[in-house]
Amino acid sequence: NELLLHLKTYNLYYEGQNLQLRHREEEGEFIVEGLLNISWGLRRPIRLQMQDDNQRIRPPPSSSSWHSGCNLGAHGKRASQGEKLRSVIKPSTLPDIQVTDAEPSVDGDEMDSAVDAKNLKAEQEDAPQLMRTRSDVGVRRRGNLRTPSEQRRLKRHRFSINGHFYNHKTSVFTPAYGSITNVRINSTMTTPQVLKLLLNKFKIENSAEEFALYIVHTSGEKQKLKATDYPLIARVLQGPCEQISKVFLMEKDQVEEVTYDVAQYIKFEMPVLKSFIQKLKEEEDREVKKLRRKYSVLRVMIERRLEEISEGPVTM
């Protein structure tokens, strides 16, 4: 019942947004599912995979064959597109680029086509040299030549980390601190499962054992989620407002947990903290003096009693 009340508050906060959570019952178990926002809090660079799973790196285009890397025999449509392009532009003037689904210009001017082809080649050299997904490879007829931004979008084969896609120059980089991503999970997934899902989403080579999830409050409190914790449940119980608390992905060996008691003093300036320390020391000294007086009195009483006991048999 408590979780359901928190869930209603959570969905009311994100009403009309894709961060709302759904719930269902499966074999008598209450399951919550939806998107979980996770902020990047890494201090060290991460490594992106060179290629996606079950995909091979595309060989560089050959100077003798301008359609190198394309299986023209297996894709009749791609071959027909190639014939159309060759009919408009001479093979000797074509740059080493991959066949695209762009149509030639209406007037058939060879100079304009050559300039467009060179621009495409420059963009391809900057883009990741990896196989594209099936949805990107298919060739479809379009009336106009695609813009450079559309060409770059089609080459993207994986999720970006805040706009950063893999390429050979920046395969090792550090995501911007505090930038947000999200993963779709459910309430039955533990912390290690969520970590593996997040790393797999962005094709990160680093082991999940290097990282941990933390709930970080604006007060400075940092609570590490255990391996047996359920991050989505923890997020719902913490409340929906990310201005109060956020879920961070951080390195295990770079972050220390901060308790609520310690977090209360983190935001203060150094002079204020020194005054707190001075007051605590004075209070400690007073308590020490009280204890010393107390035990001094007890010691005197014990010594007197021992003297009475020791003198008793002698008088008899």
Side-chain angles (χ1 to χ4, degrees), residues 137-243:
V137 172
V139 178
R140 294 180 295 179
R141 293 178 58 87
R142 297 190 68 177
N144 298 323
L145 187 66
R146 280 201 174 100
T147 63
S149 61
E150 290 177 337
Q151 293 289 347
R152 287 193 295 270
R153 179 178 57 82
L154 290 176
K155 289 182 174 66
R156 295 173 179 174
H157 63 282
R158 65 178 75 188
F159 292 97
S160 72
I161 301 179
N162 306 109
H164 178 94
F165 288 92
Y166 172 87
N167 65 65
H168 293 286
K169 295 180 180 179
T170 59
S171 61
V172 179
F173 83 110
T174 305
Y177 190 90
S179 55
I180 299 176
T181 184
N182 56 62
V183 287
R184 185 170 295 278
I185 61 174
N186 60 53
S187 57
T188 65
M189 299 179 67
T190 60
T191 302
Q193 291 174 325
V194 174
L195 285 172
K196 290 179 181 179
L197 182 64
L198 178 63
L199 299 185
N200 184 64
K201 175 180 178 179
F202 298 104
K203 306 300 179 184
I204 297 175
E205 286 188 346
N206 302 64
S207 172
E209 298 296 328
E210 300 178 22
F211 307 106
L213 293 179
Y214 291 82
I215 295 180
V216 180
H217 296 259
T218 53
S219 62
E221 179 184 358
K222 294 180 182 177
Q223 177 187 356
K224 180 181 176 182
L225 294 181
K226 301 177 183 177
T228 56
D229 288 337
Y230 303 97
L232 190 58
I233 297 295
R235 173 74 267 183
V236 172
L237 294 178
Q238 288 291 329
C241 184
E242 295 192 351
Q243 295 180 352

Side-chain angles (χ1 to χ4, degrees), residues 283-294:
E283 184 178 352
E284 181 184 7
D285 293 338
R286 287 195 297 269
E287 292 297 324
V288 169
K289 290 178 180 179
K290 289 181 181 179
L291 288 173
R292 283 179 177 176
R293 285 196 299 268
K294 176 182 177 181

Side-chain angles (χ1 to χ4, degrees), residues 12-287:
L12 185 63
Y13 184 86
Y14 287 114
E15 185 175 5
Q17 303 182 37
N18 60 353
L19 289 175
Q20 280 190 317
L21 303 177
R22 297 178 297 175
H23 66 277
R24 55 187 169 86
E25 286 192 12
E26 185 174 317
E27 298 180 356
E29 184 179 3
F30 186 78
I31 298 177
V32 182
E33 56 186 2
L35 291 174
L36 173 66
N37 276 350
I38 300 178
S39 300
W40 296 96
L42 304 180
R43 300 298 185 182
R44 292 195 298 257
I46 56 176
R47 302 182 304 276
L48 301 184
Q49 292 181 12
M50 181 177 292
Q51 63 191 75
D52 292 340
D53 298 333
N54 301 323
Q55 290 187 344
R56 296 176 299 175
I57 302 176
R58 184 178 64 207
S62 171
S63 58
S64 60
S65 176
W66 67 276
H67 57 269
S68 176
C70 298
N71 188 358
L72 299 181
H75 304 283
K77 293 182 180 180
R78 200 179 298 176
S80 63
Q81 288 290 338
E83 294 295 334
K84 289 182 180 181
L85 289 176
R86 284 198 294 272
S87 65
V88 177
I89 307 175
K90 295 180 180 180
S92 59
T93 62
L94 285 171
D96 300 334
I97 62 173
Q98 188 180 5
V99 177
T100 64
D101 50 348
E103 289 286 13
S105 58
V106 178
D107 57 1
D109 187 13
E110 292 185 8
M111 292 298 294
D112 294 337
S113 300
V115 172
D116 293 337
K118 290 181 180 179
N119 292 334
L120 290 177
K121 180 180 178 181
E123 293 170 6
Q124 187 182 23
E125 291 176 353
D126 294 336
Q129 298 297 314
L130 299 174
M131 293 290 289
R132 295 186 292 181
T133 56
R134 292 182 180 179
S135 60
D136 298 333
V137 172
V139 178
R140 294 180 295 179
R141 293 178 58 87
R142 297 190 68 177
N144 298 323
L145 187 66
R146 280 201 174 100
T147 63
S149 61
E150 290 177 337
Q151 293 289 347
R152 287 193 295 270
R153 179 178 57 82
L154 290 176
K155 289 182 174 66
R156 295 173 179 174
H157 63 282
R158 65 178 75 188
F159 292 97
S160 72
I161 301 179
N162 306 109
H164 178 94
F165 288 92
Y166 172 87
N167 65 65
H168 293 286
K169 295 180 180 179
T170 59
S171 61
V172 179
F173 83 110
T174 305
Y177 190 90
S179 55
I180 299 176
T181 184
N182 56 62
V183 287
R184 185 170 295 278
I185 61 174
N186 60 53
S187 57
T188 65
M189 299 179 67
T190 60
T191 302
Q193 291 174 325
V194 174
L195 285 172
K196 290 179 181 179
L197 182 64
L198 178 63
L199 299 185
N200 184 64
K201 175 180 178 179
F202 298 104
K203 306 300 179 184
I204 297 175
E205 286 188 346
N206 302 64
S207 172
E209 298 296 328
E210 300 178 22
F211 307 106
L213 293 179
Y214 291 82
I215 295 180
V216 180
H217 296 259
T218 53
S219 62
E221 179 184 358
K222 294 180 182 177
Q223 177 187 356
K224 180 181 176 182
L225 294 181
K226 301 177 183 177
T228 56
D229 288 337
Y230 303 97
L232 190 58
I233 297 295
R235 173 74 267 183
V236 172
L237 294 178
Q238 288 291 329
C241 184
E242 295 192 351
Q243 295 180 352
I244 298 176
S245 63
K246 293 183 179 181
V247 179
F248 267 83
L249 174 71
M250 298 179 170
E251 296 97 340
K252 284 184 179 179
D253 59 348
Q254 294 289 314
V255 182
E256 294 184 2
E257 289 190 77
V258 179
T259 62
Y260 173 77
D261 294 334
V262 176
Q264 297 181 62
Y265 301 100
I266 290 180
K267 301 297 183 180
F268 290 104
E269 299 293 335
M270 188 59 66
V272 179
L273 291 175
K274 288 182 178 179
S275 66
F276 287 161
I277 294 175
Q278 182 64 31
K279 290 182 179 179
L280 290 173
K281 190 175 183 309
E282 292 175 358
E283 184 178 352
E284 181 184 7
D285 293 338
R286 287 195 297 269
E287 292 297 324

